[in-house]
Amino acid sequence: MVPARALGLLLCVQLCGGDGELRLVDGGGRCAGRVEVKHEGEWGSVCSYDFDWDHRGAGVVCRQLGCGVVAWASPYAPFGQGKGRIWLHTIFCNGTEANLQDCFHFGWGRHFCSHKWDVGVTCTEALELRLTAGRGPCEGRVEVKLRGRWGTVADDTWDMEDAEVVCQQMGCGSATVAYQDSQFGQADDPINLAFINCDGNEEALWDCKIRGWGPYTSPTKYDSAVVCQGFSRLAGGDGACSGRLEVRQGRAWATVCHGHVDLKAAQVVCRELGCGAAVAVPAAGHFGAATGPLWDGAFECNGSEPLLATCARRPTHGQACAGPAAIVCSSYTGFRLADGGLGCAGRVEVEAQGTWGALCASAWDLRDAHVLCRHLGCGPAASLPPGGHFGTGTATGPLRRDALSCSGSERHPGECPVVLLGEPACPPGHAAAVNCSGAAEPLRLLDGESRCDGRLEVATSPGAWARVAAGPGYDRAASVACRQLGCGVPEKVYAVPAASSGPVELQELRCAGTEELLAQCNASGPAAAPGHSPPEAAVACSGDRRLRLAGGPGRCAGRVEVYSEGTWGTVCQDAWDLPDADVVCRQLGCGRALEAPGLERFGPGTGTPWPGAGGCSGTEAALWACPAPARRGCRRGGGAGAVCSGLLRLAGGSSSCSGHLEVLRKGTWGRVCANDSSPATAAVVCRQLGCGTGGRLAAVPAQGSVPAWLGWVRCQEGAPSLWHCPSAPWHLQSCGPEGVTHIACDEDTEDTSGATSTAGATSSVAPLTAVSGSVPLPTVLCVLLGTLLSLALAALAVQAHRARLQRRGENCLGSTRGSEGNCETCQCNTCFLAGPNRATDAGSEVVYEELDYSLMPEYQEEPSHTGSLSMGSGLKLPDDNWDGDEEESNPGVAPAPLAQPGHSPLDGYDDAAAVPEEPPTPHGRDAPVQPRGDTGYDDVDIGTLGTAP
């Protein structure tokens, strides 16, 4: 028996002092490694038996070092055995101690365990998580930094719950796909974590049950990977790169309010989405109203963050939401004019993904040139020389055939819609060219929806601007300003509060209203306004009139709203009809009108109804080009709606998210030939239709007389929409033996039902035309009879299946039964185990179990060894050449027994067995001994899973 004085040492914690210094060594950093304490000027290790060392003692270590909380702890010298003194043999910690030496121990230098039991700790601050080899920071192979080195995560049962924890921890929203088969390539790094089981609500991956802490060097094909939805998205725009900003809140999308993000935050969002650079942060509600909850907070970014989720956040203090924040991204990160001799003339070149290239002149027109020239500070465009006038430059690749479709009112050419689909190849040397006027605009409108709306400012000198005071007659100055900017006539002239306080430059303009230029008006000299700033003049010109569909499932269905007189308003529904809706659909690039519902469909909206609609013939180019009906007020109120066909759909499938790919052109639907279509095309189409983030593309034989519009569609990974994918030119054709393109999407029912789709102009017909109403009685009877017939057939199939199983069970040759009733050997593919009531109902009592060893072989953890998974590391994973029918020969390891019927395998791992291990006998007859009956394992500590004695 241990001397009584040894037992008395258990109280030594309150009497024996120490230096109190603590460190972790050989773990790749200060927050992981072998636990060592300093006493009498000398460092020594700490040992403990496995039933004494747990998360409470390890937690004291992590807290004392300021390293977070404990992630993993082991008493089996996981970081190697110490070489010097063993200073402490801990007995018990309650977890609240300020220092490790405050726990119960045998006294300084007194111990009953050897260096083989030197305890080790990994704290959370020593661990890092990342996704690699994907298209962005929110998808790829899962890697964990352990012991200062990055390594993979191996798990043959990796599932969506595991992936959900990774995505949420990365700030990437929810998981959409979980891969366990090296989907993003096989890494050469070690395996740092293996056999992970998460519930899905853990805060970090290392909070899950982890049965293998590496590093392990054995090769494996089980490199876990994930694809996350992302923390942010842009909804309601034309594709995934423009729209209102929504962020992931739990498992739902929440709208961010205008004013809670700025251009720096927008740059982070655009980069995160793979959409290039942010070119505009339009006014609140530019892409429609919010459809879900509001995000309670604002983002403060420096612009260099990889994800919006990593930006600092600030509270809004109850500030009212002015409307959804809007962001416009562009794949173009730069524009310039080259080889023109002057800065305002030359060949048009754009930068995309870090590469400059000349733009083809085939689709280049004057409106595009006006936007570019003004963006470059060169005034409006003066002329368009023929293609190739300024040469082709030094670029060796083909000219970019991107077709810009600017309206002329955009502030930045990146705001213009871009189409690549169906554009023909550019003739060699046919590069776009422009001669800008070179005269900088002497006036501008700021803080509005476009360059034709906002606060009026005039240039006083190059680079210097003065605001215009809202004085008498400033409405006539607004008329001159709209005309000079090429923005039509004023629709609304109003005063806005001063943009800033303190001394500002103001000009009071007195115009007759007939001047061609604002400079011809009488103006007062610059005047300082000490103490306060008077209101400033603002104007909304008719050239800024805009149109949108709000409150629907996408931008091609909803309540019609017109931006007029500086505000968004609904359209009066008194005389609204299908020809009016047809004009709206065509103007928005949404195909043809299918319906023209009233307010009962998408709501009445807010604001004063716009009365100038209801008399269209259906052929007008814009809604405001229709003859205005006689103004008799708006008796029925606003809320006129439109449901458009869209320009893209999947037809002939089981749902709107599967079928033949069809596009609408010139009023005719046509299919897409499957000749050499890229696999990425499926993901682009599915994402555009709001049908998930991925899909499968197949070539199927063409059936029927439906022609095809396109072929050779070659979308690249991450393309924002199908319209940004190159293809052969548009023309009606038959697809021939190659067949037509068929796509089956991984439908995301949660997103399509709970948030506004980002399908944009490509919303499919099915979800838009589904309206509630009565169902004919014959249809109901047919459905009921079909259901009953299906149930009868299912019952017959079950009976036939049971009979077949019974016959196969009787023919199982050479089987013997073990003590638990299981088939120990069997020549059949399936072993049948009959219960005691088999004679009563053999069909209902038969239990069968597939004997499949290929999932995962036995693993064991050996104390103090780190290395190969297959050679003594304690964790074994099957490699590509492993035969599931062969047992590994290892005389030192007892074979793992098969899981018995009626007993659940250890945490779902069918072929992993816990083998008890006896600890070394302490020095002393009555020292603590490990309980022999405890063969379980701790959530993190797998110390009891060792080799057989």
Side-chain angles (χ1 to χ4, degrees):
M1 184 173 180
V2 177
R5 66 177 183 273
L7 297 178
L9 291 174
L10 291 175
L11 302 176
C12 182
V13 63
Q14 301 296 334
L15 303 175
C16 302
D19 295 344
E21 292 189 53
L22 180 73
R23 70 181 182 183
L24 298 175
V25 298
D26 296 338
R30 60 175 295 271
C31 291
R34 184 175 61 255
V35 181
E36 291 189 354
V37 293
K38 191 175 185 180
H39 182 64
E40 296 179 350
E42 182 180 356
W43 287 98
S45 60
V46 176
C47 70
S48 183
Y49 293 131
D50 54 359
F51 54 84
D52 291 329
W53 185 250
D54 57 15
H55 271 49
R56 287 174 293 187
V60 173
V61 172
C62 292
R63 186 171 60 253
Q64 183 177 348
L65 292 174
C67 291
V69 298
V70 60
W72 179 63
S74 173
Y76 299 126
F79 297 95
Q81 300 181 16
K83 303 299 183 182
R85 298 283 299 270
I86 297 178
W87 274 126
L88 290 179
H89 179 169
T90 59
I91 299 298
F92 173 77
C93 296
N94 60 31
T96 60
E97 294 84 355
N99 299 288
L100 184 63
Q101 67 190 57
D102 296 337
C103 298
F104 289 97
H105 58 84
F106 286 108
W108 291 100
R110 297 179 180 270
H111 57 88
F112 299 95
C113 48
S114 65
H115 279 298
K116 185 178 181 180
W117 296 90
D118 283 347
V119 299
V121 177
T122 299
C123 306
T124 54
E125 292 296 316
L127 300 172
E128 296 182 47
L129 180 70
R130 71 180 182 185
L131 301 177
T132 62
R135 294 172 300 177
C138 288
E139 69 172 53
R141 185 173 57 250
V142 182
E143 293 190 354
V144 172
K145 192 174 186 180
L146 182 67
R147 302 193 183 191
R149 182 178 178 185
W150 288 100
T152 61
V153 174
D155 189 354
D156 71 334
T157 60
W158 183 260
D159 55 21
M160 288 297 291
E161 284 74 21
D162 307 324
E164 179 71 18
V165 174
V166 170
C167 291
Q168 294 289 353
Q169 183 179 352
M170 292 291 298
C172 291
S174 293
T176 57
V177 185
Y179 296 108
Q180 55 179 250
D181 55 355
S182 303
Q183 180 73 19
F184 294 93
Q186 190 166 346
D188 297 329
D189 301 323
I191 298 172
N192 278 349
L193 296 180
F195 296 97
I196 297 175
N197 185 17
C198 302
D199 295 330
N201 53 12
E202 293 86 352
E203 292 186 2
L205 185 63
W206 32 87
D207 293 336
C208 303
K209 295 181 179 68
I210 301 176
R211 304 178 64 194
W213 287 81
Y216 307 105
T217 58
S218 175
T220 177
K221 62 183 179 181
Y222 296 106
D223 283 344
S224 302
V226 300
V227 175
C228 309
Q229 288 181 327
F231 176 70
S232 62
R233 74 175 183 182
L234 298 176
D238 186 10
C241 292
S242 63
R244 59 181 176 274
L245 177 60
E246 297 179 349
V247 297
R248 202 70 176 175
Q249 183 171 288
R251 300 200 177 190
W253 290 102
T255 301
V256 179
C257 294
H258 180 73
H260 295 172
V261 291
D262 56 12
L263 192 58
K264 290 182 178 179
Q267 293 288 3
V268 175
V269 171
C270 294
R271 186 167 56 249
E272 175 181 346
L273 297 177
C275 290
V279 296
V281 180
H286 183 82
F287 292 103
T291 58
L294 298 178
W295 177 262
D296 185 19
F299 295 95
E300 293 184 343
C301 309
N302 59 31
S304 62
E305 294 86 352
L307 297 169
L308 184 64
T310 62
C311 293
R313 305 178 191 181
R314 60 175 173 83
T316 57
H317 303 295
Q319 179 182 355
C321 185
I327 295 176
V328 177
C329 308
S330 173
S331 58
Y332 305 126
T333 54
F335 292 85
R336 68 186 182 189
L337 298 177
D339 296 340
L342 300 173
C344 290
R347 181 179 61 255
V348 180
E349 293 187 349
V350 298
E351 182 187 29
Q353 298 180 346
T355 303
W356 286 93
L359 200 65
C360 183
S362 298
W364 181 251
D365 61 19
L366 193 60
R367 288 179 297 182
D368 305 329
H370 279 317
V371 175
L372 175 62
C373 289
R374 291 189 178 107
H375 168 66
L376 296 176
C378 294
S383 64
L384 294 182
H389 181 77
F390 292 104
T392 59
T394 58
T396 57
L399 300 175
R400 298 184 64 98
R401 48 179 173 164
D402 309 38
L404 275 67
S405 300
C406 302
S407 66
S409 64
E410 295 86 356
R411 301 183 189 275
H412 191 290
E415 297 180 56
C416 303
V418 178
V419 174
L420 183 57
L421 188 75
E423 290 296 319
C426 189
H430 195 56
V434 63
N435 286 318
C436 302
S437 64
E441 295 275 11
L443 73 162
R444 65 184 181 184
L445 298 176
L446 293 181
D447 302 331
E449 284 283 307
S450 74
R451 60 177 296 272
C452 294
D453 173 31
R455 190 180 66 250
L456 177 60
E457 293 188 354
V458 295
T460 57
S461 62
W465 295 89
R467 299 164 191 159
V468 176
Y474 72 99
D475 54 340
R476 293 188 292 273
S479 298
V480 179
C482 289
R483 186 163 55 249
Q484 184 174 350
L485 289 171
C487 291
V489 298
E491 285 194 332
K492 181 181 181 181
V493 181
Y494 55 102
V496 295
S500 61
S501 58
V504 293
E505 278 194 311
L506 295 174
Q507 283 202 350
E508 295 184 3
L509 300 178
R510 293 179 295 277
C511 304
T514 58
E515 295 86 353
E516 291 294 327
L517 302 175
L518 206 60
Q520 297 172 349
C521 298
N522 294 322
S524 64
H532 70 281
S533 297
E536 300 168 7
V539 58
C541 306
S542 61
D544 189 48
R545 196 176 284 168
R546 292 169 179 252
L547 186 69
R548 72 182 182 190
L549 295 176
R555 65 176 295 270
C556 288
R559 181 178 58 253
V560 182
E561 294 186 352
V562 175
Y563 186 79
S564 177
E565 299 182 358
T567 58
W568 286 99
T570 61
V571 172
C572 183
Q573 58 175 331
D574 285 356
W576 188 255
D577 206 349
L578 195 63
D580 306 289
D582 209 34
V583 173
V584 170
C585 293
R586 185 171 57 255
Q587 185 176 349
L588 291 174
C590 289
R592 298 172 299 184
L594 302 176
E595 300 177 56
L599 62 84
E600 69 279 354
R601 183 71 173 276
F602 300 111
T606 60
T608 303
W610 189 68
C616 301
S617 65
T619 60
E620 291 85 356
L623 185 62
W624 33 88
C626 299
R631 294 181 177 271
R632 296 185 299 270
C634 187
R635 297 187 302 273
R636 297 176 56 198
V643 176
C644 309
S645 65
L647 301 178
L648 170 67
R649 70 183 181 185
L650 296 176
S654 58
S655 72
S656 60
C657 291
S658 66
H660 302 108
L661 176 60
E662 295 185 356
V663 291
L664 181 67
R665 180 171 175 82
K666 296 181 179 180
T668 302
W669 286 101
R671 293 178 177 173
V672 176
C673 296
N675 40 13
D676 203 31
S677 294
S678 65
T681 302
V684 173
V685 170
C686 293
R687 193 165 54 244
Q688 195 169 352
L689 290 175
C691 293
T693 58
R696 298 169 301 281
L697 185 146
V700 299
Q703 297 178 352
S705 58
V706 179
W709 269 119
L710 289 170
W712 305 92
V713 178
R714 303 290 297 168
C715 292
Q716 297 181 350
E717 291 286 344
S721 72
L722 184 67
W723 319 120
H724 290 75
C725 302
S727 71
W730 294 97
H731 74 281
L732 289 174
Q733 57 190 292
S734 59
C735 292
E738 294 87 358
V740 296
T741 300
H742 184 278
I743 294 176
C745 301
D746 302 330
E747 187 170 0
D748 189 347
T749 56
E750 175 190 351
D751 283 347
T752 56
S753 63
T756 301
S757 169
T758 59
T762 60
S763 299
S764 59
V765 177
L768 299 181
T769 59
V771 296
S772 60
S774 61
V775 181
L777 181 60
T779 302
V780 176
L781 293 177
C782 289
V783 172
L784 291 176
L785 291 175
T787 303
L788 293 175
L789 180 61
S790 299
L791 292 174
L793 292 175
L796 291 175
V798 170
Q799 293 295 332
H801 182 63
R802 287 180 173 177
R804 183 169 64 255
L805 293 180
Q806 183 175 357
R807 290 195 301 272
R808 290 178 64 187
E810 294 172 353
N811 294 330
C812 184
L813 302 177
S815 64
T816 60
R817 298 190 182 279
S819 60
E820 299 296 331
N822 62 305
C823 293
E824 293 178 353
T825 61
C826 185
Q827 296 180 9
C828 302
N829 290 333
T830 306
C831 286
F832 296 85
L833 307 177
N837 299 324
R838 178 176 180 178
T840 304
D841 187 356
S844 62
E845 292 298 326
V846 171
V847 181
Y848 66 97
E849 177 184 12
E850 293 291 337
L851 297 182
D852 186 356
Y853 297 95
S854 64
L855 290 178
M856 192 68 69
E858 174 193 2
Y859 89 92
Q860 297 174 339
E861 181 187 3
E862 294 183 1
S864 71
H865 288 288
T866 299
S868 171
L869 281 171
S870 59
M871 299 186 64
S873 69
L875 183 63
K876 300 184 178 66
L877 287 170
D879 57 26
D880 294 340
N881 300 319
W882 189 78
D883 187 355
D885 295 329
E886 297 180 2
E887 295 289 344
E888 294 190 35
S889 177
N890 190 343
V893 180
L898 296 177
Q900 301 299 322
H903 298 274
S904 61
L906 189 60
D907 272 5
Y909 294 88
D910 296 340
D911 43 6
V915 183
E917 175 181 315
E918 295 186 9
T921 303
H923 301 290
R925 290 179 296 172
D926 293 341
V929 179
Q930 178 183 2
R932 297 180 61 86
D934 183 9
T935 60
Y937 70 96
D938 187 274
D939 286 353
V940 176
D941 190 352
I942 55 176
T944 58
L945 296 174
T947 58

